[in-house]
Amino acid sequence: MFAVSADYAAPVELRLATAGESHGPALVAIVSGLPAGLVLGRDAIDDDRRRRQEGYGRSPRQKIEQDRVEVLAGLRHGRTLGTPLALVVRNRDHANWEWGMAPWPPEGEPSGKGSKPVTLPRPGHADYAGALKYGLDDARDALERASARHTAVHVAAGAVAKALLATIGIEVRGSVVDEESLRARIDEARAERDTVGGVVEVRAVGVPPGLGSYATKDDRLDARLAAALMGIQAVKGVEIGEGFALAAMRGSEAHDELLPGFGRETNRAGGIEAGVSNGEDVVVRAAMKPLPTLMRPLRSVDLASGEAGEALVERSDVAAVEALAVVAEAAVAFELARAAREKFGGDAVDDFVAAHRAYVERIPWDPR
Ligand code: EPS
């Protein structure tokens, strides 16, 4: 191996592009800006997709899907090539929607699912706003992409981001806040053919001080994490650290005092000050609204006739909060990996790791 320089690695932009409809043939993700030589484990990717699928309260759809992640490009013998990484998850349910979700004009009579237009929008879903925005007669054209189904490839990309973060000692984990009461609320809601939401928390440990920047609002790590979390379907609120509770505290109780050795006894800031990570755990929360597809439908209005009716009823989850914990973990991991690529750069993963090590050696911070 060639020696790598520890003092400089050019910043690199880590990017994620995705495509795919919920009942179309497949979901696709392209991750670019990864360093070469990153070792990816199939098990790590598989574990996350399984955790996303196994959440309490999911619909029978999860029994149909297996979400096996195929890698089509950017990987050779389990190591990244430093080229775009292409990931695909096929929708097994597409077999039931072959006519309805055919990419090309289908042959033969309409058959199977998706062959009748959706004209009764579900309040809370993309159906109404999407139909108006894009001039649609069939709200299916809107709801298919708006569906949380495509979080399957976000989670796959998040697993890749976590592998990159692990090389510099960062670990990210999402969990449900108050899991026990959530499960009881799900059981009750299911019996009443209703849905529920909930709150998840993501914690990242080992994040060095200095990710993100106050230089512009777009650089702020808290703004970026909030956008990443708000970008997940059904998320209606985000908190960084103590978030809303800070508004009711005095300054003397809200801020995390620095002690000799630069340790702190509290972390109300959630590991971010002025948009920059401060070396404490990064802690963020996301609030998920109850899912909008109800078995006992809400009042709606027919897009075609303007007449009052009841919203579309489709197979649906009672809750997807446990899945959100995994999806939010992936979103936070990806954003932290993006910030780390900006700070430590490097074409090869060894450059990236060496730049991190050189930086950590020069600052007064001890990773836990
Ligand atoms: C979703 C509706 C449901 C969920 C889906 C998200 O899909 P279906 O109507 O096919 O049962 O199951 O989530 C997934 C399929 C998934 O893999 O997470 C929605 O409207 O957002």
Side-chain angles (χ1 to χ4, degrees):
M1 288 296 284
F2 298 101
V4 292
S5 157
D7 43 21
Y8 179 72
V12 178
E13 194 184 347
L14 183 67
R15 275 181 295 192
L16 172 63
T18 69
E21 278 70 45
S22 179
H23 304 100
L27 308 161
V28 182
I30 295 183
V31 182
S32 55
L34 289 167
L38 175 67
V39 176
L40 295 182
R42 266 192 239 205
D43 290 353
I45 297 178
D46 263 5
D47 279 357
D48 281 355
R49 69 118 199 109
R50 184 182 44 71
R51 286 169 61 220
R52 192 193 76 90
Q53 290 200 280
E54 281 179 356
Y56 198 67
R58 301 306 305 276
S59 86
R61 173 80 186 271
Q62 295 311 318
K63 296 201 173 64
I64 302 173
E65 302 299 345
Q66 287 178 357
D67 289 4
R68 223 168 41 81
V69 179
E70 292 170 48
V71 180
L72 296 192
L75 197 69
R76 182 162 181 244
H77 302 172
R79 298 169 88 90
T80 57
L81 296 172
T83 56
L85 181 74
L87 306 169
V88 172
V89 173
R90 297 191 194 276
N91 289 321
R92 285 164 53 106
D93 200 21
H94 180 65
N96 301 313
W97 297 72
E98 256 177 48
W99 192 97
M101 288 302 295
W104 294 105
E107 286 173 13
E109 290 304 303
S111 64
K113 293 189 173 182
S115 49
K116 288 198 195 89
V118 175
T119 61
L120 282 157
R122 290 160 297 172
H125 214 299
D127 313 355
Y128 173 72
L132 265 55
K133 177 175 169 69
Y134 293 101
L136 310 174
D137 297 327
D138 182 355
R140 176 142 319 272
D141 286 358
L143 68 91
E144 280 286 330
R145 177 63 181 160
S147 162
R149 169 71 187 144
H150 89 269
T151 59
V153 280
H154 280 266
V155 166
V160 174
K162 284 195 290 180
L164 180 64
L165 291 172
T167 66
I168 55 170
I170 299 177
E171 267 179 54
V172 188
R173 198 68 179 179
S175 59
V176 174
V177 174
D178 209 351
E179 177 114 28
E180 256 176 51
S181 81
L182 172 73
R183 289 189 172 207
R185 288 196 300 127
I186 291 174
D187 289 341
E188 269 169 40
R190 185 188 285 110
E192 289 162 27
R193 300 162 72 222
D194 215 327
T195 60
V196 292
V199 177
V200 303
E201 179 174 291
V202 182
R203 177 176 293 265
V205 301
V207 180
L211 297 193
S213 171
Y214 42 74
T216 73
K217 67 181 176 57
D218 296 341
D219 297 325
R220 287 183 171 258
L221 188 62
D222 40 10
R224 294 164 54 165
L225 292 175
L229 291 169
M230 289 298 294
I232 302 169
Q233 289 80 355
V235 170
K236 280 296 208 184
V238 173
E239 266 191 334
I240 312 287
E242 297 281 320
F244 277 70
L246 288 171
M249 291 182 201
R250 291 245 178 126
S252 54
E253 37 176 19
H255 298 292
D256 307 306
E257 288 181 301
L258 279 160
L259 306 176
F262 300 99
R264 309 199 197 213
E265 282 172 350
T266 56
N267 182 21
R268 298 191 189 98
I272 302 175
E273 289 170 312
V276 185
S277 62
N278 66 6
E280 300 298 311
D281 291 357
V282 169
V283 185
V284 295
R285 286 185 170 198
M288 184 181 222
K289 68 183 180 183
L291 301 177
T293 308
L294 301 180
M295 294 301 116
R296 237 181 14 196
L298 296 173
R299 285 180 297 172
S300 185
V301 177
D302 194 295
L303 288 167
S305 68
E307 279 174 22
E310 288 186 338
L312 168 73
V313 177
E314 281 207 331
R315 172 189 61 198
S316 173
D317 308 307
V318 179
V321 186
E322 291 183 20
L324 176 64
V326 184
V327 176
E329 173 184 304
V332 167
F334 200 87
E335 202 51 45
L336 289 176
R338 222 159 71 81
R341 291 297 283 144
E342 285 160 18
K343 179 127 184 71
F344 303 119
D347 294 320
V349 73
D350 289 350
D351 302 336
F352 174 76
V353 171
H356 169 270
R357 190 182 311 121
Y359 170 69
V360 168
E361 276 168 10
R362 95 167 155 74
I363 58 170
W365 176 71
D366 293 321
R368 265 177 289 153

